[in-house]
Amino acid sequence: MDAIDRRSALGLLAASGAAIGSPALAQALFDLKLPGGNGARPMTSAFPEKGAMILQRTRAPLLETPMAVFDDGVFTPNDRFFVRWHYADIPTAIDGAAHRVTVGGAVRRRLSLSLADLMAMPRFEIAAVNQCSGNSRGHFAPRVPGAQWGHGAMGNALWGGVRLRDVLDRAGVAPGAVAVRFGGLDRPPPGAPPFLKSLSLDHARDGEVMLAFLMNGERLPMLNGYPLRLVVPGWYSTYWIKALSSIEVLDAPDTSYWMEKAYRIPTAPRASVVPGAKDFPTEPINRMNPRAFITNLADGDAIVARSPFAVRGIAFGGAAGVRSVELSMNGGRSWHPAQLGPDMGRYGFRRWDLTGAAVAPGQYRLAVRCTNTDGVVQTGEPIWNPGGYMDNRIETIGVRAA
Ligand SMILES: Nc1nc2c(c(=O)[nH]1)N[C@H]1C(S)=C(S)[C@@H](COP(=O)(O)O)O[C@H]1N2
Ligand SMILES: [Mo]
């Protein structure tokens, strides 16, 4: 019952603007190595329930996970999990026992469910990557506005809670309903649209979309949506509404701001258009694409020449599982299959590793690519859209064998 009983207070957050600016808490700089420079960010440990994070913005908080954290295991620890909010007015204290999520709109019975109500329902658990639509945006060339993330606006957790389908069935979806809209406890400034996102009714009822009150077996950190969040496996986290407080069944498609105007991608292969393009058809961002990263070596590292060396990392298939991961030692001219770690669920991170053959002294460009179970493979081709979304270009790093 831990997930209900504890009352969380983020009193610190109110003061964090001041706290983070103070020399005692501002720590070393972390260089995200963004193309064109300007990648240095302070590290901070000043946020409640969070360890050392890369500070992208204080209010509303944007905290990035350092790549080395992903080397420790496929489940990202809650205290190192990235954070992203749109509006500064976020919940800072929630009494879990008093929290309610309402289910309304086109339903037979309006519901107001407590966490205890949800905990009494059949449980569901799934490993899934939560990745911001704009993860890696800082690597776009030419640059686009928005958070200049490196690759750490992602994380994988084991989410525990209940299926959205079961909640909707309890309310009874009215005939003719087409979509379901979700909102949380954060508040927009005057005049700005509330952060609401919606899914088609079929998607909402697919048995995978869930309401999570557990993250890696513990209650969610306040900054990651305590006490309850939506989890949409395989889809970008813009839909994963935090501090979930309202579920609204709609009898017409959602035309509100955050679906109609924001988080839209070009309807084009890889959501990519010519830089600067403006007039192109768009659609709401949706399924994630495959990605792979090297986690035990960073750009500029040295390896020992004439001796086998270990390379490892993580991969995920996006809206599908991981079929294979391959490593190149020559910038992508030839590829070697990596060994995959245990499958912890198709929407989660998958470990990969490979023992590189002994190489002569010199410079090498390592590249890693993932193919998912739908047969989609990463490429090195440029990707560009004005939102800075869906980057999944092949990751490469330079290493020196000496
Ligand atoms: N209530 C609420 N939920 C939200 C958001 C928000 O601003 N408010 N941002 C979304 C976006 S764009 C992202 S990337 C994820 C970030 O989840 P995290 O902070 O747990 O990593 O939350 C999503 N859910
Ligand atoms: Mo996001």
Side-chain angles (χ1 to χ4, degrees):
M1 296 305 273
D2 194 41
I4 312 189
D5 292 345
R6 260 199 267 171
R7 186 188 284 256
S8 286
L10 268 196
L12 226 184
L13 199 66
S16 63
I20 284 161
S22 78
L25 291 167
Q27 299 167 8
L29 290 180
F30 185 99
D31 191 356
L32 289 169
K33 298 202 172 160
L34 302 181
N38 244 334
R41 303 280 182 278
M43 291 294 292
T44 179
S45 301
F47 284 81
E49 304 175 288
K50 291 288 161 184
M53 300 293 290
I54 301 164
L55 181 65
Q56 290 276 10
R57 186 178 70 194
T58 300
R59 262 172 76 86
L62 294 181
L63 308 176
E64 176 163 348
T65 303
M67 189 53 63
V69 170
F70 302 120
D71 195 46
D72 292 341
V74 291
F75 290 109
T76 314
N78 292 1
D79 68 346
R80 309 300 299 280
F81 211 98
F82 88 100
V83 172
R84 190 265 194 272
W85 292 87
H86 290 78
Y87 293 136
D89 187 355
I90 61 176
T92 56
I94 296 174
D95 179 354
H99 184 75
R100 292 287 181 283
V101 57
T102 59
V103 186
V107 293
R108 291 208 190 83
R109 283 173 301 282
R110 269 189 70 84
L111 304 176
S112 170
L113 300 170
S114 67
L115 287 178
D117 294 334
L118 294 173
M119 285 177 170
M121 293 174 61
R123 293 288 179 99
F124 180 66
E125 200 175 70
I126 196 168
V129 174
N130 175 30
Q131 181 183 214
C132 183
S133 317
N135 191 24
S136 313
R137 184 186 286 117
H139 291 266
F140 262 47
R143 289 278 183 97
V144 293
Q148 300 299 299
W149 296 113
H151 303 307
M154 62 174 189
N156 179 43
L158 182 63
W159 307 97
V162 299
R163 290 185 173 90
L164 175 59
R165 184 176 61 203
D166 293 344
V167 172
L168 292 173
D169 285 352
R170 207 160 147 174
V173 172
V178 297
V180 187
R181 182 160 64 189
F182 309 90
L185 294 176
D186 43 334
R187 293 282 162 256
F195 190 71
L196 299 172
K197 295 293 293 186
S198 58
L199 300 173
S200 75
L201 181 63
D202 286 349
H203 188 187
R205 290 182 43 82
D206 74 357
E208 291 183 334
V209 177
M210 68 177 295
L211 277 51
F213 43 75
L214 292 172
M215 177 175 174
N216 294 323
E218 293 173 2
R219 67 190 191 85
L220 280 59
M222 281 294 286
L223 289 167
N224 297 107
Y226 177 84
L228 188 68
R229 84 177 302 169
L230 196 71
V231 168
V232 188
W235 282 45
Y236 285 98
S237 52
T238 177
Y239 296 96
W240 299 38
I241 293 294
K242 301 194 281 187
L244 181 70
S245 58
S246 92
I247 300 175
E248 191 190 353
V249 179
L250 306 178
D251 53 17
D254 186 5
T255 54
S256 63
Y257 178 84
W258 293 100
M259 290 300 293
E260 191 87 341
K261 298 271 186 278
Y263 286 104
R264 297 188 69 92
I265 55 168
T267 304
R270 299 172 66 240
S272 189
V273 291
V274 174
K278 284 199 176 63
D279 291 321
F280 46 81
T282 67
E283 63 194 40
I285 194 166
N286 52 84
R287 283 180 284 275
M288 296 195 290
N289 48 28
R291 303 196 75 174
F293 298 93
I294 297 167
T295 56
N296 71 321
L297 294 170
D299 191 52
D301 278 0
I303 58 173
V304 179
R306 299 195 184 88
S307 145
F309 63 98
V311 195
R312 62 172 182 267
I314 50 161
F316 59 105
V322 172
R323 176 184 292 167
S324 63
V325 174
E326 297 158 290
L327 184 84
S328 171
M329 288 290 295
N330 52 18
R333 286 198 301 283
S334 57
W335 295 94
H336 312 277
Q339 184 159 337
L340 296 180
D343 184 353
M344 314 290 278
R346 68 192 189 119
Y347 299 111
F349 284 156
R350 188 96 183 248
R351 193 90 157 145
W352 61 266
D353 74 78
L354 183 144
T355 303
V359 291
Q363 299 284 343
Y364 293 86
R365 184 139 289 270
L366 270 48
V368 62
R369 73 177 182 193
C370 174
T371 304
N372 74 14
T373 52
D374 287 341
V376 181
V377 58
Q378 292 180 256
T379 83
E381 295 297 304
I383 183 166
W384 194 91
N385 53 63
Y389 298 141
M390 294 190 66
D391 189 6
N392 79 327
R393 286 167 296 171
I394 289 174
E395 182 60 12
T396 78
I397 61 170
V399 297
R400 184 173 40 83

